[in-house]
Amino acid sequence: MGKIYYVMGKSSSGKDTIYKELLKRHPQFCTIVPYTTRPIREGERDGVEYYFVDADRLREMQEAGQVIEVRSYNTKCGVWTYFTADDGQISLEEHDYLVIGTLVSYQALRKYFGGEKIVPVYIEVDDGLRLSRAIERERREEEPKYAELCRRFLADAEDFSEENLAVAGITRRFENRDLCECLSEIEDYIREQTGSASGN
């Protein structure tokens, strides 16, 4: 029976980089591509980071009973919805999966599939470092959205509060001060859980 290794953390914690590097090192992991109604960003590809859909498509999938969890955010750029669907991508009888997402989404998948099948990989970074990373990344955008950056930063403080982490049962944390060290710790952790992932 396979497991879902769920990578999460506040914005600009380096979770995207860690997720992509783990996939590169461990091609045995399958992925679950989430959905969103937000506009595609520069460098993103439909079906890779997300499936980019409209509200009508979301409604169709909800009516078909395919939506596992759904979250909507009233951003500075409008309402953006993110969701995970049981759309044929997931077969725990055959595969292990590596997924990236939010604490709320993690809890929903844990409830849907069962706690023994979902393994949290929570990434932490000092808030000051995260903010400087976020500003630098936004500065590189063709049209920087600093107000939305600030909204996300403040929302993360609430979403990933110590109380919420405790409720979600998050006890193991991976400090991303040094990317190589952090990746090594995560790989050791995955090996403990499966005995199948290697650090090569």
Side-chain angles (χ1 to χ4, degrees):
M1 184 64 70
K3 292 185 178 181
I4 297 173
Y5 294 86
Y6 202 98
V7 179
M8 64 190 130
K10 297 176 182 176
S11 59
S12 299
S13 61
K15 62 183 182 294
D16 294 272
T17 299
I18 287 169
Y19 170 75
K20 291 174 183 176
E21 184 61 28
L22 286 171
L23 282 179
K24 187 190 305 181
R25 296 185 184 190
H26 305 288
Q28 76 272 19
F29 282 124
C30 293
T31 60
I32 303 169
V33 180
Y35 291 73
T36 185
T37 63
R38 74 156 168 77
I40 192 167
R41 292 174 182 160
E42 184 178 351
E44 290 181 328
R45 292 169 293 166
D46 186 42
V48 178
E49 288 83 6
Y50 293 95
Y51 288 115
F52 294 90
V53 300
D54 58 19
D56 289 339
R57 179 59 179 147
L58 166 59
R59 189 160 47 252
E60 289 173 6
M61 295 179 76
Q62 285 176 313
E63 290 172 357
Q66 291 180 300
V67 176
I68 297 172
E69 59 85 26
V70 59
R71 294 151 283 123
S72 293
Y73 302 96
N74 189 13
T75 77
K76 299 295 182 180
C77 307
V79 176
W80 292 348
T81 299
Y82 298 80
F83 63 101
T84 307
D86 192 352
D87 57 357
Q89 295 184 66
I90 307 165
S91 177
L92 288 173
E93 291 77 19
E94 301 176 26
H95 305 291
D96 286 319
Y97 292 81
L98 190 68
V99 176
I100 185 170
T102 67
L103 186 64
V104 171
S105 178
Y106 160 75
Q107 290 173 288
L109 264 68
R110 192 167 183 259
K111 181 178 180 180
Y112 187 85
F113 290 107
E116 72 283 356
K117 297 177 184 175
I118 314 291
V119 180
V121 180
Y122 179 60
I123 313 299
E124 277 194 331
V125 173
D126 170 76
D127 281 347
L129 179 56
R130 280 199 312 111
L131 185 56
S132 64
R133 285 179 180 176
I135 292 170
E136 184 55 39
R137 184 174 65 184
E138 197 65 31
R139 188 178 287 125
R140 294 194 297 268
E141 294 288 329
E142 187 174 330
E143 294 183 16
K145 297 179 174 65
Y146 295 112
E148 172 57 17
L149 180 157
C150 292
R151 185 205 66 79
R152 285 199 311 266
F153 192 85
L154 294 173
D156 278 344
E158 182 175 342
D159 293 344
F160 289 96
S161 68
E162 290 299 320
E163 180 181 357
N164 287 344
L165 290 171
V167 168
I170 306 296
T171 55
R172 182 70 183 267
R173 304 175 188 215
F174 299 92
E175 183 72 27
N176 188 18
R177 284 175 291 194
D178 179 277
L179 179 61
C180 290
E181 288 182 10
C182 186
L183 280 165
S184 180
E185 288 180 17
I186 293 170
E187 288 178 310
D188 286 344
Y189 179 60
I190 290 173
R191 273 196 298 272
E192 291 169 9
Q193 301 295 318
T194 67
S196 62
S198 70
N200 296 329

